[in-house]
Amino acid sequence: ASRKARRSPRSYTPLSDALAQPLVFADTELSEGIQRHSLVGLIRAALSRKRRADGEPLPNVLCALLVWPLLKAKSLHCFCAELCQFLAGHVSVLYDFLGREDIHWRGLSSELARRVHQANELGPRSQRAFVVDDTSQARAGRKVEGTSCYFDHTEGRHRKGHQVLQLGLAVEKGFLPLEAQIVTGQKGAIDKPKDKPFRDQRSAAARDMRRAREQSKHQMFREMLQRALRAGIRACYLLADAWFGCKENIACCLENELVAIFQMKRGLLTYQYHGRPYTAHQLYARVARRMRPANRRARFKTASLVVSLNLATEPSHPPRWAEVRLVFSAPVRARSSDTWVVFLCTDVALSDAKILEVYALRWSIEVYFKEIKQHLGFLKEQSGRYQVAYASVHLGAMRYLLLFEAMLRAGHLSYGEIRDRESGRLQI
């Protein structure tokens, strides 16, 4: 009998693994990407009109800002002191550039994502999905601006740091970061010190911080989605975890003709089934006995129901009923009867297996977070100024976009090994 071919191990950092191959040089790939997309011209357009003609060596500055995390430098300061010889010895050039308030980094990163999207074949619309999620980076210190208090689930305690909301496009070939925004909100937000006000309240950094304070994550997400759609980026699905599973976001997907697949909270939200209201707990009790695994090797068993959800957010508003499919999933061999999750899909014609298969695309945004945090300098600049954090978030996305496109063109990426191919292996 012939031996079965061994499956290659899954990679959780495919971009970094591709860069580690022989004859692949990150600085070369970045410089080619800068020229291909005319990034120097884009950054000149992102500068305010008053300071576009400062005589700064923009090509050198931009290349240095993009390449320093890939040269294994411990920090931007170490890079300036030891390796940055092409900026005529001025150690503070990069920090001064990062500290500028007038550079519209978010618009620059979004425009680069749009160009990468147009220049590469990323698959048909039916296999694309918008993905939204947030990540956090612990940042201590009283002088660190734009931070807030959040609950760290890995450590089981509250921490202070930067929270970043990310919207991206997930395809079979990988993940395309479209737009990011630092989130603070009113609860637990830490203001910018009064002794360091913004020089211009109309600057890009000031407007970004004001938006972070005035809007919630859900409002930011919906505005990000609208901007992505206006930019011509199309997808069939929208995927998100339980944090974003609210009526407003579901209604937004229906209005934009997107199939929403959300993991839902097991709270007090009621669904109408056979004319009676039920919570997710009550519906799970009805289907628990008929849940079955897809095959003998499947680790999870599923069952689904078609229910109605009232999308009206106020009792005084007229009801807006929408039919949705709820897919319940639980481990086959669970130590506790409470280890189940529920997914909501706005397309009731999709099968349970298809819903879980599409939702598995959401894993790509977790891979993106791991890549930029460990290897691409995400919030690694040693500065507490808000405008530096604002620049760092979008520079991390730009590094990823340029390297992702380069590896995609070279054929080194195999993102199919990242996500589990069987929908039953979704992690709860």
Side-chain angles (χ1 to χ4, degrees), residues 185-249:
Q186 296 293 337
K187 183 178 179 181
I190 300 173
D191 292 329
K192 186 176 177 69
K194 295 182 179 180
D195 59 339
K196 293 183 179 180
F198 288 110
R199 296 178 182 176
D200 184 3
Q201 292 297 327
R202 297 172 298 176
S203 64
R207 285 186 283 112
D208 190 84
M209 189 173 192
R210 191 159 50 249
R211 188 185 305 110
R213 285 298 312 274
E214 296 175 353
Q215 296 182 343
S216 66
K217 287 183 184 179
H218 301 294
Q219 292 172 325
M220 288 183 184
F221 151 64
R222 291 192 289 270
E223 288 191 0
M224 286 180 176
L225 180 62
Q226 295 296 336
R227 285 193 290 266
L229 293 173
R230 286 196 298 268
I233 299 175
R234 296 290 180 264
C236 183
Y237 306 96
L238 191 143
L239 315 175
D241 60 13
W243 178 265
F244 299 92
C246 66
K247 293 182 179 181
E248 294 88 347
N249 293 341

Side-chain angles (χ1 to χ4, degrees), residues 113-287:
R114 188 187 67 82
R115 294 191 176 196
V116 172
H117 172 266
Q118 289 183 342
N120 297 274
E121 176 56 41
L122 299 176
R125 178 177 176 270
S126 60
Q127 297 179 5
R128 299 182 185 185
F130 289 112
V131 184
V132 61
D133 201 359
D134 61 340
T135 187
S136 55
Q137 184 75 18
R139 297 292 300 274
R142 295 178 59 185
K143 294 185 178 181
V144 181
E145 303 163 1
T147 59
S148 58
C149 296
Y150 64 92
F151 185 78
D152 192 328
H153 293 277
T154 59
E155 298 186 5
R157 65 187 181 94
H158 285 85
R159 301 202 64 176
K160 191 188 83 169
H162 284 121
Q163 296 184 75
V164 178
L165 181 66
Q166 179 72 52
L167 176 70
L169 184 69
V171 296
E172 287 292 335
K173 296 180 180 180
F175 180 77
L176 198 70
L178 300 177
E179 191 172 334
Q181 169 71 55
I182 296 177
V183 179
T184 57
Q186 296 293 337
K187 183 178 179 181
I190 300 173
D191 292 329
K192 186 176 177 69
K194 295 182 179 180
D195 59 339
K196 293 183 179 180
F198 288 110
R199 296 178 182 176
D200 184 3
Q201 292 297 327
R202 297 172 298 176
S203 64
R207 285 186 283 112
D208 190 84
M209 189 173 192
R210 191 159 50 249
R211 188 185 305 110
R213 285 298 312 274
E214 296 175 353
Q215 296 182 343
S216 66
K217 287 183 184 179
H218 301 294
Q219 292 172 325
M220 288 183 184
F221 151 64
R222 291 192 289 270
E223 288 191 0
M224 286 180 176
L225 180 62
Q226 295 296 336
R227 285 193 290 266
L229 293 173
R230 286 196 298 268
I233 299 175
R234 296 290 180 264
C236 183
Y237 306 96
L238 191 143
L239 315 175
D241 60 13
W243 178 265
F244 299 92
C246 66
K247 293 182 179 181
E248 294 88 347
N249 293 341
I250 296 172
C252 178
C253 294
L254 292 175
E255 292 168 2
N256 291 283
E257 299 181 350
L258 293 170
V259 178
I261 303 179
F262 291 96
Q263 181 181 339
M264 300 298 290
K265 294 180 180 179
R266 300 184 292 180
L268 299 179
L269 181 65
T270 58
Y271 308 89
Q272 193 174 66
Y273 182 63
H274 289 174
R276 297 181 59 185
Y278 294 91
T279 65
H281 272 282
Q282 294 168 338
L283 290 173
Y284 175 71
R286 295 180 65 95
V287 303

Side-chain angles (χ1 to χ4, degrees), residues 11 65 68 111 123 172 214 277 318 345 348 372-373 393 406 427:
S11 169
L65 287 175
W68 76 264
E111 176 61 20
E172 287 292 335
E214 296 175 353
C345 178
V348 297
I372 61 173
K373 284 184 175 182
V393 167
Q427 296 186 5

